[in-house]
């Protein structure tokens, strides 16, 4: 069980998938592509309006925000190290904001 078994598992899933499941997967892939394209466009527009450092700091907050949403929505537990990392990321943004103003 691992990465080497992935092609066989995908092939088996593809053979047993119903047309409705195929349409769902194709729709989700297209939606994912459209959302990523939108994210890149917004990122480009924001980059044109703020400094590169500000953009990088804002962009680095994506992962902690996604982790927090994951914990809140799915009720997943996080380790103490993960919680400290999230707090460190938010602290860095607060310090950057204070230093900039």
């Amino acid at each position: 069980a691992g990465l080497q078994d992935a092609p066989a598992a995908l092939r088996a899933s593809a053979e047993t998938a119903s047309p409705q499941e195929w349409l769902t997967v194709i729709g989700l892939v297209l939606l994912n592509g459209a959302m990523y394209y939108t994210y890149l466009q917004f990122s480009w527009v924001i980059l044109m309006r703020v400094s590169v450092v500000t953009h990088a700091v804002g962009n680095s907050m994506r992962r902690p925000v996604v982790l927090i949403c994951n914990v809140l929505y799915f009720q997943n537990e996080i380790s103490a190290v993960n919680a400290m990392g999230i707090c460190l990321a938010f602290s860095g943004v607060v310090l950057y904001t204070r230093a900039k103003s």
Side-chain angles (χ1 to χ4, degrees):
L3 193 56
Q4 67 270 16
D5 296 332
L10 287 173
R11 202 171 17 257
S13 296
E15 291 171 356
T16 60
S18 70
Q20 179 63 36
E21 290 171 325
W22 274 107
L23 287 175
T24 301
V25 169
I26 291 170
L28 289 173
V29 167
L30 292 174
L31 178 64
N32 182 51
M35 295 308 244
Y36 189 70
Y37 176 79
T38 303
Y39 156 72
L40 288 176
Q41 291 300 316
F42 276 117
S43 182
W44 183 257
V45 168
I46 292 169
L47 183 58
M48 299 298 253
R49 295 175 183 230
V50 299
S51 73
V52 175
V53 175
T54 301
H55 185 268
V57 169
N59 198 28
S60 68
M61 287 309 299
R62 275 185 311 136
R63 183 163 288 152
V65 169
V66 167
L67 287 172
I68 289 172
C69 291
N70 183 6
V71 169
L72 295 175
Y73 186 78
F74 295 111
Q75 303 294 315
N76 291 339
E77 294 184 17
I78 58 171
S79 68
V81 173
N82 290 346
M84 287 178 14
I86 291 170
C87 290
L88 185 64
F90 279 117
S91 300
V93 170
V94 168
L95 291 174
Y96 173 75
T97 304
R98 286 188 177 185
K100 188 170 178 168
S101 60

